[in-house]
Structures are given as C-alpha cells and as structure tokens.
Amino acid sequence: MPFSIATWNINSVRLRMPIVERLLVEQAPDVLCLQETKVPDELFPEKAFRKLGYEHIAFHGQKGYHGVATVARRPIAVVEKRRFCEIEDSRHLSVTVRAGGKTILVHNFYVPAGGDEPNPEINKKFKHKLDFVAEMNAIRAEHDEVSASVLVGDLNIAPLEHDVWSHKQLLNVVSHTPVETENFEAMRLAGNWIDLMRLNIPSEQKLYTWWSYRAQDWEASNRGRRLDHVWSSPNLVPSFTGYEILRLARGWERPSDHVPVIARFDLD
C-alpha cells in the first residue's frame, strides 16, 4: 500500500496557503507536517485543508512565532504536544496514523534556529538550541511488529559535510558547527533513528532543502543547506521506496526559504 509523508517549514501557513494548496493538489501526500506555522490554534486555516480532502488536522501553534501542524487524508490521533527546555514554545507535535497494518507514530519537530553567534555562553538562543537537541535524546524510534515511528521536520542542523554548500566556510556558522552536528548525530543514533534521506544517497552528494532569502539569486548561487529531515524506525526501511526534495517550490510565488520533502513507502 503506497503511503507518503511530506514535511515543510512553511514560514507562515496563512500567508503561504496558496502554495500549500498547490503542493497538496499536485503531490497529494497522505500526511503533511508543517513547521513555523506562526498562527494560534483558533486561527488555523482548517477550512482550506478540509476543502482539499485533508479532514484530519492537528496543530500546536502560537501567535507570530514557531508552531507545528499535521494534516492528513486519513484519521490521526494526537499523542503529545511536548514542551522542551521548560519553555512554552510550540515546537513539537506527535500523532498516530494507521497505514499498511501498522500504527505509525509521527513526530513533527521545529528545532530552534539558534541565533547567529555559536557560543552558548553569550548567546541564549544557541544554548536553547543545544539544550533542545539534548532533550530530543528522549525521543526514541519506537517500533514492534505492528507499529513504527517517523520523525520529520525543520531540525535546523545540517549534520554532514555535504549537507551544506561549503563545509569549511560554514564550520563556525550556526546550523553546521561541530558542537551542533556531533550532538545531533549522537542524538539520532541514540534514538535508533534511520536518516532516510541519506539511506541510498552517497554522503559525498550535495543535498539541500533550504536556500536563504538573502541571496539575490538563490538558484544561481545554490548556497543551500539540508535543514529538513526525515527519519524512521529501522522496521520501516524495507518499505521505504524513496523521497523527493521539491526544489522547484523555492521558486513558487511568495515562497518559503525551505522546500517540501516527501518520503514514500510501500507498506504491506
């Protein structure tokens, strides 16, 4: 049974609803996980999603900042809206969805960006990011014969050398500093998560999901980073059939600086 999950930092869901609708019409993922929705729960644009057949909606939002939402064409059940670092930011939402005889636990994350200065002693935002990733060690890839886990989202760290346009030039730039990348990979391994985007893609191949608004011509300069991720529990790997990074979406009208990533599975 084909099953697909998309993840996208949309950078304001109400502002960019036209391109969200385009994604849903053209790609029709079974589940869409959005980050940086920037809308309180009572103002979330549910009607627009329901009109497109996404009747099942969960959100964890706040006014003006952060926020995550998961919408689906099949029933979902909210499991948790976890608070990290004792801060009331809306950065996590987990739901379950049934697919191919399994109950899949889907974690939707928006990890803090961390500011500009990669020094936790003088930059509280960077310290918050490191503390957040440390707490993510508690999120494990739970699975058994009838269940599995997926973790997606804007994790705001490009962990590998070729997840950025220049490893050497970005070693002291937040999102690719050694303290971030090492802690990030240690957390992923501790949770027994599989990085699906690198499963069949050589580590020396460049992979990007984000291009800065600051670039005059993002496409020509191509100075990207892989900040958006798709992980799964080991038992989903045999069912994983591939993924798409919808690079063209960076050029859509009024785009986000991130693009959607869609992971596809063929479940028994």
Side-chain angles (χ1 to χ4, degrees):
M1 183 190 73
F3 177 72
S4 58
I5 299 179
T7 180
W8 195 3
N9 177 319
I10 195 57
N11 191 13
S12 179
V13 65
R14 290 184 293 176
L15 179 65
R16 304 190 205 284
M17 198 62 213
I19 60 173
V20 175
E21 292 172 345
R22 177 173 176 178
L23 173 76
L24 296 180
V25 169
E26 293 182 1
Q27 300 295 329
D30 292 292
V31 178
L32 171 62
C33 295
L34 296 170
Q35 302 87 39
E36 205 172 355
T37 54
K38 294 183 175 179
V39 61
D41 291 349
E42 63 270 18
L43 296 179
F44 190 85
E46 293 185 64
K47 290 183 180 179
F49 286 99
R50 296 185 191 282
K51 186 177 180 181
L52 292 170
Y54 288 78
E55 296 279 349
H56 309 282
I57 301 169
F59 36 69
H60 184 200
Q62 62 188 99
K63 183 179 180 180
Y65 296 95
H66 319 312
V68 289
T70 300
V71 302
R73 296 192 294 170
R74 60 183 71 197
I76 57 177
V78 173
V79 174
E80 186 178 20
K81 300 176 182 180
R82 185 176 292 214
R83 182 177 68 169
F84 283 77
C85 304
E86 298 300 319
I87 297 174
E88 296 293 345
D89 286 349
S90 302
R91 295 185 175 275
H92 171 262
L93 171 66
S94 61
V95 305
T96 55
V97 59
R98 292 282 298 171
K102 282 186 170 61
T103 298
I104 301 176
L105 176 62
V106 180
H107 291 281
N108 182 359
F109 269 100
Y110 178 41
V111 171
D116 294 325
E117 176 58 52
N119 184 338
E121 294 183 3
I122 63 175
N123 179 3
K124 292 181 180 179
K125 291 182 179 180
F126 193 65
K127 183 181 186 305
H128 178 209
K129 182 178 191 174
L130 297 180
D131 290 345
F132 193 103
V133 171
E135 286 193 22
M136 285 179 68
N137 276 272
I139 307 296
R140 302 303 175 101
E142 301 173 12
H143 64 284
D144 58 26
E145 292 183 359
V146 294
S147 68
S149 296
V150 170
L151 188 156
V152 302
D154 175 7
L155 305 187
N156 260 317
I157 294 174
L160 305 181
E161 178 177 347
H162 294 289
D163 288 340
V164 295
W165 65 272
S166 174
H167 173 63
K168 291 182 179 179
Q169 294 185 64
L170 271 66
L171 276 173
N172 200 39
V173 174
V174 173
S175 78
H176 193 61
T177 65
V179 67
E180 292 173 274
T181 59
E182 291 167 11
N183 289 350
F184 184 83
E185 282 292 276
M187 174 269 292
R188 181 183 66 80
L189 293 172
N192 200 23
W193 293 103
I194 306 300
D195 179 358
L196 294 180
M197 294 176 70
R198 281 295 186 185
L199 194 61
N200 298 312
I201 302 296
S203 60
E204 62 270 15
Q205 180 174 323
K206 295 287 189 182
L207 282 182
Y208 310 144
T209 64
W210 173 91
W211 292 263
S212 175
Y213 285 132
R214 297 176 183 177
Q216 289 188 348
D217 188 335
W218 70 272
E219 193 166 22
S221 63
N222 198 31
R223 294 188 171 190
R225 306 178 203 178
R226 181 171 72 117
L227 303 180
D228 306 272
H229 297 265
V230 180
W231 300 349
S232 82
S233 51
N235 65 336
L236 279 183
V237 170
S239 303
F240 177 60
T241 59
Y243 70 94
E244 301 168 65
I245 298 174
L246 297 184
R247 179 188 170 104
L248 288 175
R250 184 61 179 81
W252 289 355
E253 187 174 357
R254 301 183 78 180
S256 171
D257 46 0
H258 297 253
V259 299
V261 180
I262 305 176
R264 303 187 187 279
F265 303 86
D266 190 1
L267 298 168
D268 295 334

